[in-house]
mmCIF file of all heavy atoms in Angstrom:
data_model
loop_
_atom_site.group_PDB
_atom_site.id
_atom_site.type_symbol
_atom_site.label_atom_id
_atom_site.label_comp_id
_atom_site.label_asym_id
_atom_site.label_seq_id
_atom_site.Cartn_x
_atom_site.Cartn_y
_atom_site.Cartn_z
ATOM 1 N N ARG W 1 4.833 5.211 22.125
ATOM 2 C CA ARG W 1 3.382 5.244 21.806
ATOM 3 C C ARG W 1 2.988 3.806 21.297
ATOM 4 O O ARG W 1 3.636 3.210 20.639
ATOM 5 C CB ARG W 1 3.101 6.197 20.575
ATOM 6 C CG ARG W 1 1.748 6.178 20.151
ATOM 7 C CD ARG W 1 1.473 7.014 18.930
ATOM 8 N NE ARG W 1 0.160 7.021 18.458
ATOM 9 C CZ ARG W 1 -0.346 7.567 17.343
ATOM 10 N NH1 ARG W 1 0.547 8.112 16.545
ATOM 11 N NH2 ARG W 1 -1.598 7.527 16.957
ATOM 12 N N TRP W 2 1.911 3.234 21.943
ATOM 13 C CA TRP W 2 1.383 1.948 21.652
ATOM 14 C C TRP W 2 0.688 2.023 20.368
ATOM 15 O O TRP W 2 -0.578 2.462 20.340
ATOM 16 C CB TRP W 2 0.600 1.370 22.827
ATOM 17 C CG TRP W 2 1.309 1.295 24.130
ATOM 18 C CD1 TRP W 2 2.584 1.473 24.444
ATOM 19 C CD2 TRP W 2 0.803 0.809 25.373
ATOM 20 N NE1 TRP W 2 2.977 1.305 25.740
ATOM 21 C CE2 TRP W 2 1.825 0.809 26.332
ATOM 22 C CE3 TRP W 2 -0.450 0.391 25.789
ATOM 23 C CZ2 TRP W 2 1.653 0.455 27.624
ATOM 24 C CZ3 TRP W 2 -0.605 -0.045 27.138
ATOM 25 C CH2 TRP W 2 0.378 0.100 28.002
ATOM 26 N N LEU W 3 1.113 1.336 19.353
ATOM 27 C CA LEU W 3 0.500 1.333 18.022
ATOM 28 C C LEU W 3 -0.291 0.015 17.952
ATOM 29 O O LEU W 3 -1.329 0.008 17.133
ATOM 30 C CB LEU W 3 1.396 1.507 16.980
ATOM 31 C CG LEU W 3 2.196 2.879 16.981
ATOM 32 C CD1 LEU W 3 3.203 2.878 15.800
ATOM 33 C CD2 LEU W 3 1.158 4.068 16.811
ATOM 34 N N GLY W 4 0.221 -1.107 18.517
ATOM 35 C CA GLY W 4 -0.511 -2.364 18.339
ATOM 36 C C GLY W 4 0.391 -3.493 18.768
ATOM 37 O O GLY W 4 1.441 -3.264 19.420
ATOM 38 N N VAL W 5 -0.054 -4.633 18.579
ATOM 39 C CA VAL W 5 0.584 -5.867 18.990
ATOM 40 C C VAL W 5 0.565 -6.995 17.830
ATOM 41 O O VAL W 5 -0.520 -7.148 17.219
ATOM 42 C CB VAL W 5 0.025 -6.452 20.213
ATOM 43 C CG1 VAL W 5 0.744 -7.818 20.694
ATOM 44 C CG2 VAL W 5 0.164 -5.502 21.350
ATOM 45 N N ILE W 6 1.631 -7.655 17.575
ATOM 46 C CA ILE W 6 1.579 -8.840 16.781
ATOM 47 C C ILE W 6 1.350 -10.130 17.582
ATOM 48 O O ILE W 6 2.260 -10.238 18.538
ATOM 49 C CB ILE W 6 2.873 -9.005 15.863
ATOM 50 C CG1 ILE W 6 3.272 -7.702 15.180
ATOM 51 C CG2 ILE W 6 2.781 -10.194 14.923
ATOM 52 C CD1 ILE W 6 4.723 -7.729 14.640
ATOM 53 N N ILE W 7 0.328 -10.835 17.375
ATOM 54 C CA ILE W 7 0.173 -12.053 18.118
ATOM 55 C C ILE W 7 0.394 -13.329 17.012
ATOM 56 O O ILE W 7 -0.325 -13.354 16.109
ATOM 57 C CB ILE W 7 -1.292 -12.111 18.658
ATOM 58 C CG1 ILE W 7 -1.449 -11.042 19.667
ATOM 59 C CG2 ILE W 7 -1.479 -13.563 19.490
ATOM 60 C CD1 ILE W 7 -2.728 -11.043 20.529
ATOM 61 N N ALA W 8 1.402 -13.948 17.287
ATOM 62 C CA ALA W 8 1.897 -15.039 16.329
ATOM 63 C C ALA W 8 1.992 -16.394 16.975
ATOM 64 O O ALA W 8 2.189 -16.584 18.188
ATOM 65 C CB ALA W 8 3.257 -14.623 15.803
ATOM 66 N N GLU W 9 1.853 -17.423 16.088
ATOM 67 C CA GLU W 9 1.925 -18.828 16.683
ATOM 68 C C GLU W 9 3.152 -19.434 15.929
ATOM 69 O O GLU W 9 3.115 -19.514 14.712
ATOM 70 C CB GLU W 9 0.622 -19.532 16.338
ATOM 71 C CG GLU W 9 0.725 -21.028 16.823
ATOM 72 C CD GLU W 9 -0.494 -21.765 16.422
ATOM 73 O OE1 GLU W 9 -1.608 -21.269 16.299
ATOM 74 O OE2 GLU W 9 -0.197 -23.000 16.025
ATOM 75 N N PRO W 10 4.084 -19.909 16.589
ATOM 76 C CA PRO W 10 5.307 -20.637 15.952
ATOM 77 C C PRO W 10 4.893 -21.867 15.263
ATOM 78 O O PRO W 10 3.689 -22.430 15.524
ATOM 79 C CB PRO W 10 6.195 -20.905 17.104
ATOM 80 C CG PRO W 10 5.741 -19.977 18.256
ATOM 81 C CD PRO W 10 4.335 -19.806 18.093
ATOM 82 N N GLU W 11 5.612 -22.324 14.377
ATOM 83 C CA GLU W 11 5.444 -23.608 13.629
ATOM 84 C C GLU W 11 5.362 -24.679 14.648
ATOM 85 O O GLU W 11 6.004 -24.687 15.801
ATOM 86 C CB GLU W 11 6.518 -23.914 12.690
ATOM 87 C CG GLU W 11 6.644 -22.922 11.483
ATOM 88 C CD GLU W 11 5.508 -23.208 10.475
ATOM 89 O OE1 GLU W 11 4.676 -24.047 10.640
ATOM 90 O OE2 GLU W 11 5.478 -22.308 9.532
ATOM 91 N N HIS W 12 4.394 -25.750 14.442
ATOM 92 C CA HIS W 12 4.310 -26.853 15.435
ATOM 93 C C HIS W 12 5.586 -27.596 15.478
ATOM 94 O O HIS W 12 6.334 -27.778 14.541
ATOM 95 C CB HIS W 12 3.179 -27.827 14.753
ATOM 96 C CG HIS W 12 1.843 -27.169 14.881
ATOM 97 N ND1 HIS W 12 0.724 -27.687 14.208
ATOM 98 C CD2 HIS W 12 1.286 -26.067 15.537
ATOM 99 C CE1 HIS W 12 -0.341 -26.944 14.419
ATOM 100 N NE2 HIS W 12 0.066 -26.035 15.130
ATOM 101 N N GLY W 13 5.916 -27.838 16.768
ATOM 102 C CA GLY W 13 7.126 -28.605 17.088
ATOM 103 C C GLY W 13 8.344 -27.694 17.180
ATOM 104 O O GLY W 13 9.358 -28.169 17.402
ATOM 105 N N SER W 14 8.213 -26.363 17.090
ATOM 106 C CA SER W 14 9.217 -25.411 17.171
ATOM 107 C C SER W 14 9.738 -25.421 18.631
ATOM 108 O O SER W 14 8.931 -25.605 19.672
ATOM 109 C CB SER W 14 8.900 -24.052 16.699
ATOM 110 O OG SER W 14 8.608 -23.971 15.510
ATOM 111 N N ALA W 15 10.920 -25.244 18.887
ATOM 112 C CA ALA W 15 11.592 -24.997 20.165
ATOM 113 C C ALA W 15 11.202 -23.621 20.720
ATOM 114 O O ALA W 15 10.855 -22.689 19.877
ATOM 115 C CB ALA W 15 13.106 -25.215 20.201
ATOM 116 N N PRO W 16 11.127 -23.419 21.991
ATOM 117 C CA PRO W 16 10.896 -22.146 22.585
ATOM 118 C C PRO W 16 11.929 -21.120 21.984
ATOM 119 O O PRO W 16 12.957 -21.439 21.549
ATOM 120 C CB PRO W 16 11.136 -22.329 24.154
ATOM 121 C CG PRO W 16 10.922 -23.716 24.267
ATOM 122 C CD PRO W 16 11.428 -24.360 23.136
ATOM 123 N N LEU W 17 11.478 -19.833 21.904
ATOM 124 C CA LEU W 17 12.165 -18.786 21.291
ATOM 125 C C LEU W 17 13.630 -18.655 22.028
ATOM 126 O O LEU W 17 13.704 -18.573 23.270
ATOM 127 C CB LEU W 17 11.454 -17.444 21.455
ATOM 128 C CG LEU W 17 10.208 -17.231 20.678
ATOM 129 C CD1 LEU W 17 9.714 -15.793 20.795
ATOM 130 C CD2 LEU W 17 10.464 -17.537 19.094
ATOM 131 N N ASP W 18 14.629 -18.561 21.260
ATOM 132 C CA ASP W 18 15.929 -18.210 21.643
ATOM 133 C C ASP W 18 16.174 -16.765 21.479
ATOM 134 O O ASP W 18 15.278 -15.948 21.017
ATOM 135 C CB ASP W 18 17.046 -19.061 21.040
ATOM 136 C CG ASP W 18 16.912 -18.882 19.432
ATOM 137 O OD1 ASP W 18 16.434 -17.825 19.000
ATOM 138 O OD2 ASP W 18 17.647 -19.798 18.773
ATOM 139 N N GLU W 19 17.306 -16.309 21.956
ATOM 140 C CA GLU W 19 17.659 -14.858 21.882
ATOM 141 C C GLU W 19 17.540 -14.314 20.495
ATOM 142 O O GLU W 19 17.176 -13.162 20.111
ATOM 143 C CB GLU W 19 18.964 -14.522 22.598
ATOM 144 C CG GLU W 19 19.158 -13.146 23.103
ATOM 145 C CD GLU W 19 18.049 -12.673 24.081
ATOM 146 O OE1 GLU W 19 17.564 -13.541 24.862
ATOM 147 O OE2 GLU W 19 17.717 -11.458 24.234
ATOM 148 N N ARG W 20 18.083 -15.054 19.533
ATOM 149 C CA ARG W 20 18.013 -14.682 18.167
ATOM 150 C C ARG W 20 16.750 -14.404 17.735
ATOM 151 O O ARG W 20 16.567 -13.460 17.071
ATOM 152 C CB ARG W 20 18.765 -15.750 17.325
ATOM 153 C CG ARG W 20 18.958 -15.376 15.840
ATOM 154 C CD ARG W 20 19.610 -16.460 15.165
ATOM 155 N NE ARG W 20 18.876 -17.769 14.974
ATOM 156 C CZ ARG W 20 17.955 -17.843 14.013
ATOM 157 N NH1 ARG W 20 17.684 -16.928 13.048
ATOM 158 N NH2 ARG W 20 17.300 -19.042 13.890
ATOM 159 N N HIS W 21 15.845 -15.397 17.915
ATOM 160 C CA HIS W 21 14.455 -15.173 17.444
ATOM 161 C C HIS W 21 13.812 -14.007 18.126
ATOM 162 O O HIS W 21 12.937 -13.250 17.501
ATOM 163 C CB HIS W 21 13.600 -16.418 17.596
ATOM 164 C CG HIS W 21 13.659 -17.408 16.467
ATOM 165 N ND1 HIS W 21 14.673 -18.292 16.327
ATOM 166 C CD2 HIS W 21 13.072 -17.396 15.312
ATOM 167 C CE1 HIS W 21 14.584 -18.985 15.370
ATOM 168 N NE2 HIS W 21 13.567 -18.538 14.557
ATOM 169 N N ARG W 22 14.085 -13.815 19.378
ATOM 170 C CA ARG W 22 13.441 -12.569 20.010
ATOM 171 C C ARG W 22 13.946 -11.307 19.506
ATOM 172 O O ARG W 22 13.164 -10.455 19.305
ATOM 173 C CB ARG W 22 13.736 -12.714 21.698
ATOM 174 C CG ARG W 22 13.068 -13.744 22.403
ATOM 175 C CD ARG W 22 13.365 -13.898 23.886
ATOM 176 N NE ARG W 22 12.834 -14.865 24.408
ATOM 177 C CZ ARG W 22 11.528 -14.967 24.930
ATOM 178 N NH1 ARG W 22 10.934 -13.922 24.934
ATOM 179 N NH2 ARG W 22 11.154 -16.025 25.579
ATOM 180 N N ASP W 23 15.194 -11.294 19.287
ATOM 181 C CA ASP W 23 15.731 -9.984 18.708
ATOM 182 C C ASP W 23 15.090 -9.829 17.310
ATOM 183 O O ASP W 23 14.848 -8.648 16.963
ATOM 184 C CB ASP W 23 17.294 -10.242 18.378
ATOM 185 C CG ASP W 23 18.059 -10.215 19.745
ATOM 186 O OD1 ASP W 23 17.471 -9.765 20.650
ATOM 187 O OD2 ASP W 23 19.248 -10.522 19.756
ATOM 188 N N LEU W 24 15.010 -10.845 16.441
ATOM 189 C CA LEU W 24 14.414 -10.701 15.155
ATOM 190 C C LEU W 24 13.015 -10.235 15.241
ATOM 191 O O LEU W 24 12.473 -9.231 14.611
ATOM 192 C CB LEU W 24 14.440 -11.963 14.385
ATOM 193 C CG LEU W 24 13.826 -12.011 13.013
ATOM 194 C CD1 LEU W 24 14.592 -11.094 12.128
ATOM 195 C CD2 LEU W 24 13.869 -13.392 12.435
ATOM 196 N N LEU W 25 12.161 -10.785 16.026
ATOM 197 C CA LEU W 25 10.737 -10.402 16.308
ATOM 198 C C LEU W 25 10.668 -8.951 16.802
ATOM 199 O O LEU W 25 9.722 -8.148 16.385
ATOM 200 C CB LEU W 25 10.041 -11.341 17.154
ATOM 201 C CG LEU W 25 9.794 -12.711 16.595
ATOM 202 C CD1 LEU W 25 9.395 -13.711 17.626
ATOM 203 C CD2 LEU W 25 8.605 -12.516 15.526
ATOM 204 N N TRP W 26 11.550 -8.624 17.772
ATOM 205 C CA TRP W 26 11.517 -7.254 18.289
ATOM 206 C C TRP W 26 11.774 -6.220 17.225
ATOM 207 O O TRP W 26 11.020 -5.130 17.185
ATOM 208 C CB TRP W 26 12.451 -7.176 19.367
ATOM 209 C CG TRP W 26 12.401 -5.809 20.208
ATOM 210 C CD1 TRP W 26 11.709 -5.500 21.148
ATOM 211 C CD2 TRP W 26 13.380 -4.692 20.049
ATOM 212 N NE1 TRP W 26 11.960 -4.248 21.592
ATOM 213 C CE2 TRP W 26 13.007 -3.681 20.852
ATOM 214 C CE3 TRP W 26 14.531 -4.432 19.140
ATOM 215 C CZ2 TRP W 26 13.615 -2.556 20.999
ATOM 216 C CZ3 TRP W 26 15.092 -3.214 19.295
ATOM 217 C CH2 TRP W 26 14.670 -2.269 20.206
ATOM 218 N N ILE W 27 12.736 -6.397 16.308
ATOM 219 C CA ILE W 27 13.041 -5.483 15.302
ATOM 220 C C ILE W 27 11.981 -5.449 14.275
ATOM 221 O O ILE W 27 11.580 -4.445 13.638
ATOM 222 C CB ILE W 27 14.405 -5.642 14.690
ATOM 223 C CG1 ILE W 27 14.863 -4.532 13.822
ATOM 224 C CG2 ILE W 27 14.304 -6.939 13.822
ATOM 225 C CD1 ILE W 27 14.974 -3.186 14.558
ATOM 226 N N LEU W 28 11.358 -6.493 14.070
ATOM 227 C CA LEU W 28 10.121 -6.591 13.182
ATOM 228 C C LEU W 28 9.066 -5.724 13.730
ATOM 229 O O LEU W 28 8.309 -4.986 13.047
ATOM 230 C CB LEU W 28 9.609 -8.037 12.997
ATOM 231 C CG LEU W 28 10.411 -8.806 12.042
ATOM 232 C CD1 LEU W 28 10.016 -10.314 12.077
ATOM 233 C CD2 LEU W 28 10.349 -8.349 10.595
ATOM 234 N N GLY W 29 8.854 -5.833 15.001
ATOM 235 C CA GLY W 29 7.707 -4.996 15.716
ATOM 236 C C GLY W 29 8.159 -3.399 15.426
ATOM 237 O O GLY W 29 7.290 -2.654 15.134
ATOM 238 N N LYS W 30 9.399 -3.160 15.595
ATOM 239 C CA LYS W 30 9.927 -1.742 15.436
ATOM 240 C C LYS W 30 9.697 -1.291 14.008
ATOM 241 O O LYS W 30 9.288 -0.132 13.738
ATOM 242 C CB LYS W 30 11.313 -1.599 15.841
ATOM 243 C CG LYS W 30 11.560 -1.664 17.399
ATOM 244 C CD LYS W 30 10.876 -0.597 18.085
ATOM 245 C CE LYS W 30 11.143 -0.788 19.636
ATOM 246 N NZ LYS W 30 10.211 0.144 20.435
ATOM 247 N N THR W 31 9.980 -2.196 13.120
ATOM 248 C CA THR W 31 9.768 -1.950 11.694
ATOM 249 C C THR W 31 8.336 -1.672 11.283
ATOM 250 O O THR W 31 7.957 -0.783 10.499
ATOM 251 C CB THR W 31 10.521 -2.865 10.794
ATOM 252 O OG1 THR W 31 11.816 -3.150 11.266
ATOM 253 C CG2 THR W 31 10.637 -2.403 9.379
ATOM 254 N N LEU W 32 7.385 -2.520 11.747
ATOM 255 C CA LEU W 32 6.030 -2.346 11.666
ATOM 256 C C LEU W 32 5.586 -1.055 12.166
ATOM 257 O O LEU W 32 4.684 -0.392 11.552
ATOM 258 C CB LEU W 32 5.280 -3.560 12.186
ATOM 259 C CG LEU W 32 4.868 -4.573 11.242
ATOM 260 C CD1 LEU W 32 6.123 -5.297 10.719
ATOM 261 C CD2 LEU W 32 3.931 -5.625 11.854
ATOM 262 N N ALA W 33 6.189 -0.616 13.379
ATOM 263 C CA ALA W 33 5.805 0.678 13.957
ATOM 264 C C ALA W 33 6.121 1.775 12.974
ATOM 265 O O ALA W 33 5.504 2.807 12.817
ATOM 266 C CB ALA W 33 6.476 0.816 15.293
ATOM 267 N N LEU W 34 7.370 1.606 12.361
ATOM 268 C CA LEU W 34 7.759 2.603 11.487
ATOM 269 C C LEU W 34 6.798 2.739 10.246
ATOM 270 O O LEU W 34 6.481 3.826 9.721
ATOM 271 C CB LEU W 34 9.173 2.406 10.938
ATOM 272 C CG LEU W 34 9.793 3.229 9.829
ATOM 273 C CD1 LEU W 34 9.792 4.716 10.331
ATOM 274 C CD2 LEU W 34 11.166 2.746 9.443
ATOM 275 N N ALA W 35 6.419 1.590 9.747
ATOM 276 C CA ALA W 35 5.595 1.468 8.483
ATOM 277 C C ALA W 35 4.233 2.023 9.003
ATOM 278 O O ALA W 35 3.666 2.726 8.097
ATOM 279 C CB ALA W 35 5.485 -0.004 8.174
ATOM 280 N N SER W 36 3.697 1.762 10.136
ATOM 281 C CA SER W 36 2.383 2.197 10.612
ATOM 282 C C SER W 36 2.446 3.729 10.625
ATOM 283 O O SER W 36 1.412 4.385 10.206
ATOM 284 C CB SER W 36 2.045 1.677 11.895
ATOM 285 O OG SER W 36 0.686 2.060 12.251
ATOM 286 N N THR W 37 3.507 4.181 11.313
ATOM 287 C CA THR W 37 3.581 5.800 11.537
ATOM 288 C C THR W 37 3.655 6.485 10.226
ATOM 289 O O THR W 37 3.159 7.438 10.039
ATOM 290 C CB THR W 37 4.649 6.123 12.466
ATOM 291 O OG1 THR W 37 5.911 5.493 11.995
ATOM 292 C CG2 THR W 37 4.394 5.653 13.845
ATOM 293 N N SER W 38 4.461 5.779 9.243
ATOM 294 C CA SER W 38 4.558 6.437 7.846
ATOM 295 C C SER W 38 3.213 6.552 7.181
ATOM 296 O O SER W 38 2.986 7.485 6.554
ATOM 297 C CB SER W 38 5.557 5.550 7.089
ATOM 298 O OG SER W 38 6.867 5.617 7.641
ATOM 299 N N ARG W 39 2.433 5.524 7.321
ATOM 300 C CA ARG W 39 1.075 5.481 6.854
ATOM 301 C C ARG W 39 0.230 6.517 7.452
ATOM 302 O O ARG W 39 -0.489 7.164 6.768
ATOM 303 C CB ARG W 39 0.446 4.065 6.883
ATOM 304 C CG ARG W 39 -0.826 3.838 6.194
ATOM 305 C CD ARG W 39 -1.353 2.381 6.372
ATOM 306 N NE ARG W 39 -2.584 2.198 5.704
ATOM 307 C CZ ARG W 39 -2.634 1.710 4.487
ATOM 308 N NH1 ARG W 39 -1.509 1.658 3.742
ATOM 309 N NH2 ARG W 39 -3.862 1.633 3.889
ATOM 310 N N ILE W 40 0.363 6.657 8.775
ATOM 311 C CA ILE W 40 -0.446 7.636 9.481
ATOM 312 C C ILE W 40 0.010 9.042 8.936
ATOM 313 O O ILE W 40 -0.835 10.013 8.802
ATOM 314 C CB ILE W 40 -0.278 7.509 10.957
ATOM 315 C CG1 ILE W 40 -0.893 6.264 11.440
ATOM 316 C CG2 ILE W 40 -0.820 8.732 11.817
ATOM 317 C CD1 ILE W 40 -0.590 5.913 12.932
ATOM 318 N N ALA W 41 1.234 9.284 8.839
ATOM 319 C CA ALA W 41 1.820 10.519 8.452
ATOM 320 C C ALA W 41 1.269 10.891 6.948
ATOM 321 O O ALA W 41 0.866 12.067 6.742
ATOM 322 C CB ALA W 41 3.377 10.526 8.429
ATOM 323 N N THR W 42 1.261 9.827 6.184
ATOM 324 C CA THR W 42 0.691 10.062 4.842
ATOM 325 C C THR W 42 -0.765 10.507 4.840
ATOM 326 O O THR W 42 -1.169 11.416 4.292
ATOM 327 C CB THR W 42 0.813 8.752 3.891
ATOM 328 O OG1 THR W 42 2.156 8.350 3.808
ATOM 329 C CG2 THR W 42 0.217 8.989 2.504
ATOM 330 N N THR W 43 -1.580 9.836 5.738
ATOM 331 C CA THR W 43 -2.969 10.225 5.884
ATOM 332 C C THR W 43 -3.120 11.664 6.427
ATOM 333 O O THR W 43 -3.929 12.417 6.025
ATOM 334 C CB THR W 43 -3.664 9.271 6.812
ATOM 335 O OG1 THR W 43 -3.490 7.874 6.373
ATOM 336 C CG2 THR W 43 -5.163 9.682 6.982
ATOM 337 N N VAL W 44 -2.225 12.035 7.362
ATOM 338 C CA VAL W 44 -2.247 13.361 7.948
ATOM 339 C C VAL W 44 -1.967 14.481 6.888
ATOM 340 O O VAL W 44 -2.553 15.453 6.753
ATOM 341 C CB VAL W 44 -1.347 13.515 9.138
ATOM 342 C CG1 VAL W 44 -1.173 14.999 9.559
ATOM 343 C CG2 VAL W 44 -1.745 12.596 10.305
ATOM 344 N N GLY W 45 -0.989 13.989 6.072
ATOM 345 C CA GLY W 45 -0.541 15.002 4.907
ATOM 346 C C GLY W 45 -1.724 15.153 3.943
ATOM 347 O O GLY W 45 -2.019 16.209 3.389
ATOM 348 N N GLU W 46 -2.415 13.888 3.690
ATOM 349 C CA GLU W 46 -3.550 14.079 2.693
ATOM 350 C C GLU W 46 -4.667 14.986 3.397
ATOM 351 O O GLU W 46 -5.395 15.824 2.609
ATOM 352 C CB GLU W 46 -4.108 12.685 2.406
ATOM 353 C CG GLU W 46 -3.194 11.878 1.639
ATOM 354 C CD GLU W 46 -3.631 10.504 1.565
ATOM 355 O OE1 GLU W 46 -4.682 10.083 2.223
ATOM 356 O OE2 GLU W 46 -3.128 9.738 0.724
ATOM 357 N N ARG W 47 -4.906 14.917 4.635
ATOM 358 C CA ARG W 47 -5.998 15.759 5.246
ATOM 359 C C ARG W 47 -5.526 17.188 5.309
ATOM 360 O O ARG W 47 -6.397 18.035 5.231
ATOM 361 C CB ARG W 47 -6.159 15.288 6.720
ATOM 362 C CG ARG W 47 -6.897 13.881 6.652
ATOM 363 C CD ARG W 47 -7.230 13.486 8.172
ATOM 364 N NE ARG W 47 -7.848 12.105 8.236
ATOM 365 C CZ ARG W 47 -8.264 11.479 9.240
ATOM 366 N NH1 ARG W 47 -7.927 12.009 10.508
ATOM 367 N NH2 ARG W 47 -8.760 10.329 9.212
ATOM 368 N N ALA W 48 -4.210 17.409 5.480
ATOM 369 C CA ALA W 48 -3.746 18.885 5.452
ATOM 370 C C ALA W 48 -3.954 19.338 4.134
ATOM 371 O O ALA W 48 -4.431 20.588 3.996
ATOM 372 C CB ALA W 48 -2.220 18.810 5.798
#
């Protein structure tokens, strides 16, 4: 399920992303998905 997108700008002068940074950002996206769905579940519970 597409919940959203993070659009970020690296610090000026930073090197292109290496595999380590890609891994980190990917898991951050997954964690934000978890946080977002948890918030949605809370809202659904309140409406119930």
Side-chain angles (χ1 to χ4, degrees):
R1 181 183 179 190
W2 297 359
L3 300 175
V5 174
I6 307 168
I7 300 182
E9 178 188 330
E11 293 287 355
H12 290 167
S14 298
L17 293 180
D18 55 19
E19 199 63 27
R20 180 178 70 87
H21 273 91
R22 289 181 186 275
D23 288 346
L24 179 59
L25 286 164
W26 186 79
I27 193 61
L28 283 171
K30 291 299 180 186
T31 310
L32 261 67
L34 175 62
S36 183
T37 52
S38 297
R39 189 176 179 89
I40 292 171
T42 300
T43 301
V44 171
E46 290 173 352
R47 292 183 178 178

